[in-house]
Amino acid sequence: MTRLLINIDHVATLRNARQERFPDPLEAAQACLAGGAHGIVFHLREDRRHIKDEDVRRFAAHLDTKLDFELSLAPEIVDICCGVKPQLATLVPERRAEVTTEGGLDVVGNRDRLERVVPRLFDSGIEEVALFVDPIPEQIRASAEVGANAIELHTGDYANASDPLARQSVLSAMVDAAKLAHELGLTIHAGHGLDIHNYPAFGRAVPHLAEVSIGFAIIARALSIGMEQAVTEMRSIIEQNPHAH
Ligand code: PXP
């Protein structure tokens, strides 16, 4: 069954908007776990616009679950991640002006840096290193070549597709990408823009989907039905739409 990890960055976004101490992302993470989440995701950005270093320390100290530390290739953040030793480190591109992560990592173009950073993350004791990539065969092959043992497929183009035909074409690229990644021995994660409406078609179509990472839609839904219930609802939709093999 595909596991559900919840990204709690936007609880920190709300807290920081008022320069307050609440809402507390750690408390939100605990509610996610009570609702059935299989792990917690956070992105320590170079600009610290949502999650702060102190949040990361508190997650590591108090959350007894799988932690997925999203990070760029910035040496300072790589150092912090190695010190925290989450179970999973997911490397993502980062641009200061972006509202959110805007696309997959250019693994081909960053091959040299990745050949240094990926082994460094493993050497620090992290068991799983994923690269966030678009469903492009060269990027997936390069992910295996630089030594990652997982990819996270960028689902933003699927979620934002303007019409059913465009969505179907992205979905078929996702299916091919997942098959290729599986053949290369990579574990398959996916995320960005997934929600209760667009997940079912995605979940049923994409083979070997081990994990999804969902943030914004859950935090938004939690305003209506509460965090625990929003996670329980998403998890039950995932369980009702098991992936193909
Ligand atoms: N995966 C990655 C690599 C991301 O950068 C993000 C957004 O922070 C997500 C998943 C979650 O996306 P969303 O918040 O749209 O669910």
Side-chain angles (χ1 to χ4, degrees):
M1 187 59 68
T2 303
R3 293 183 296 275
L4 170 62
L5 277 73
I6 304 294
N7 179 316
I8 37 83
D9 291 349
H10 293 309
V11 178
T13 303
L14 184 58
R15 174 194 64 190
N16 300 352
R18 287 288 293 262
Q19 299 179 355
E20 269 296 354
R21 297 179 67 81
F22 64 92
D24 179 4
L26 174 61
E27 264 178 40
Q30 284 159 338
C32 291
L33 296 174
H38 297 97
I40 298 297
V41 188
F42 55 88
H43 182 177
L44 184 69
R45 292 182 60 101
E46 292 163 56
D47 61 14
R48 310 298 201 274
R49 71 167 70 149
H50 36 57
I51 296 296
K52 313 269 187 202
D53 300 55
E54 177 61 13
D55 294 319
V56 176
R57 275 191 288 278
R58 292 173 70 232
F59 299 153
H62 299 292
L63 292 175
D64 184 18
T65 190
K66 179 169 186 174
L67 294 182
D68 174 7
F69 190 137
E70 287 183 10
L71 72 158
S72 71
L73 286 163
E76 180 218 354
I77 309 286
V78 173
D79 284 347
I80 295 172
C81 186
C82 289
V84 170
K85 291 189 201 31
Q87 288 87 336
L88 165 63
T90 301
L91 286 158
V92 301
E94 201 173 295
R95 287 197 304 112
R96 209 158 276 261
E98 70 195 358
V99 174
T100 179
T101 315
E102 283 170 349
L105 191 61
D106 179 6
V107 181
V108 174
N110 284 286
R111 191 183 282 269
D112 292 350
R113 290 170 81 191
L114 285 161
E115 279 172 352
R116 287 191 299 275
V117 169
V118 171
R120 189 146 173 248
L121 291 165
F122 281 122
D123 288 348
S124 76
I126 296 169
E127 288 160 18
E128 205 179 7
V129 177
L131 306 186
F132 183 59
V133 288
D134 289 308
I136 300 170
E138 297 74 50
Q139 299 290 352
I140 291 167
R141 283 196 200 92
S143 300
E145 285 160 15
V146 301
N149 56 0
I151 53 160
E152 180 179 331
L153 287 171
H154 172 230
T155 51
D157 292 341
Y158 166 76
N160 298 326
S162 50
D163 61 77
L165 212 64
R167 182 168 279 195
Q168 192 50 46
S169 127
V170 187
L171 192 55
S172 91
M174 294 277 175
V175 171
D176 292 346
K179 286 182 184 158
L180 173 62
H182 182 70
E183 276 164 29
L184 294 167
L186 298 164
T187 300
I188 296 144
H189 305 162
H192 211 285
L194 294 176
D195 61 25
I196 52 176
H197 306 293
N198 62 29
Y199 183 82
F202 181 80
R204 283 196 302 273
V206 177
H208 317 295
L209 186 60
E211 229 162 80
V212 287
S213 161
I214 305 183
F216 186 75
I218 295 283
I219 308 299
R221 184 88 175 123
L223 293 176
S224 303
I225 63 171
M227 183 66 93
E228 217 177 297
Q229 193 51 38
V231 174
T232 305
E233 175 184 65
M234 189 73 229
R235 182 168 158 170
S236 99
I237 287 168
I238 290 173
E239 287 172 359
Q240 285 159 32
N241 294 280
H243 64 77
H245 285 279

